[in-house]
Amino acid sequence: MKMRKLLLMLALASLGCGFASESARAAGPPVKAMNGILVNAEGMTLYTYDKDRDMPGKSVCNDRCAQNWPPLLVAADGNAEGDYSIIMRDDASRQWAYKGQPLYLYKRDMKQGDMVGEDVQNVWHVIKQ
């Protein structure tokens, strides 16, 4: 009987350690390079906005702008790493930034590889690597 209890306790302890290590593992940025361009996890093109350069660590694209250029938001378990940082938006959501520049998608890009937002109004740009 004591042996069963000991085995059960060891089994439960090992399960607990497994869960702890899984929950401690945080997600990094959902970004990758595809054909020399930064894209999100789904392969959609990412953009920077020139007007953000005047406000380091902040996005100035809010409200209607953010409807057309959705920010690349950070998941609850997201952690900054390398060239990727996290900024706080005006609405208190968290957004990914690359080398200090907030990252956005463009609502008119419909499929992977689309870059319809490139150079819109001479202030939106794809991120080339």
Side-chain angles (χ1 to χ4, degrees):
M1 185 73 154
K2 286 184 181 181
M3 184 59 119
R4 272 191 190 170
K5 270 188 176 177
L6 180 59
L7 289 173
L8 180 60
M9 287 172 52
L10 287 172
L12 289 174
S14 69
L15 284 175
C17 289
F19 290 135
S21 63
E22 283 298 312
S23 64
R25 205 177 310 157
V31 177
K32 60 187 175 183
M34 193 164 70
N35 299 322
I37 302 292
L38 281 187
V39 298
N40 72 356
E42 290 78 34
M44 300 302 289
T45 303
L46 293 169
Y47 298 88
T48 59
Y49 185 37
D50 285 350
K51 293 182 181 183
D52 286 337
R53 289 188 184 147
D54 296 335
M55 303 284 291
K58 180 163 177 43
S59 168
V60 297
C61 180
N62 294 291
D63 305 317
R64 186 165 181 182
C65 176
Q67 291 172 9
N68 292 314
W69 299 90
L72 183 63
L73 297 178
V74 179
D77 63 346
N79 279 328
E81 62 182 51
D83 287 331
Y84 298 92
S85 57
I86 298 171
I87 64 165
M88 187 68 67
R89 294 183 51 76
D90 288 353
D91 65 3
S93 63
R94 300 181 321 148
Q95 180 178 2
W96 286 107
Y98 176 70
K99 295 184 178 181
Q101 290 292 294
L103 297 176
Y104 304 89
L105 298 159
Y106 186 44
K107 78 173 191 175
R108 292 191 179 167
D109 285 349
M110 298 295 154
K111 63 185 183 318
Q112 289 183 359
D114 282 357
M115 291 187 274
V116 177
E118 172 62 7
D119 212 29
V120 168
Q121 296 177 347
N122 297 318
V123 294
W124 291 97
H125 309 285
V126 299
I127 304 130
K128 298 176 184 169
Q129 286 211 310

